Amino acid sequence: MTLALFVYNFLLFLGAPVWVPLVIWRNLRRGRPLLGGGFSAADAASLRGTKVVWLHAVSMGESLVGVALYRRLAPLLPGFSWVFTTTTP
């Protein structure tokens, strides 16, 4: 393990007891799930029985590429539902 990775993991270990409760508090305040996200039952039900293309992006750059990909592929895939998810709000 490199020194940088060790330091990163150590700081993450030290920060988690502060960071996790803050994330939970923020999500409770905003009416979101405590941790994580995902589809609600209503979201899943609305997609049931349809063909779905699911694009997931982590960074802003990936989000921009996902939008461009959607614009190119959507006309070629009529009848498909599209789901675009990201890791940030």
Side-chain angles (χ1 to χ4, degrees):
M1 182 184 313
T2 66
L3 179 61
L5 184 58
F6 174 79
V7 170
Y8 173 81
N9 287 331
F10 183 71
L11 292 175
L12 188 64
F13 174 77
L14 290 178
V18 174
W19 174 73
V20 171
L22 287 175
V23 170
I24 292 172
W25 176 77
R26 183 190 68 192
N27 287 344
L28 281 173
R29 196 176 50 150
R30 294 178 181 175
R32 294 182 179 161
L34 294 182
L35 288 173
F39 293 120
S40 68
D43 293 332
S46 70
L47 295 172
R48 193 164 289 121
T50 64
K51 298 176 185 176
V52 178
V53 176
W54 185 357
L55 297 176
H56 180 75
V58 175
S59 67
M60 186 63 183
E62 289 178 3
S63 297
L64 294 174
V65 170
V67 170
L69 189 62
Y70 166 76
R71 288 183 178 157
R72 293 268 179 131
L73 291 178
L76 302 174
L77 299 170
F80 278 75
S81 296
W82 290 78
V83 175
F84 191 83
T85 57
T86 63
T87 56
T88 56

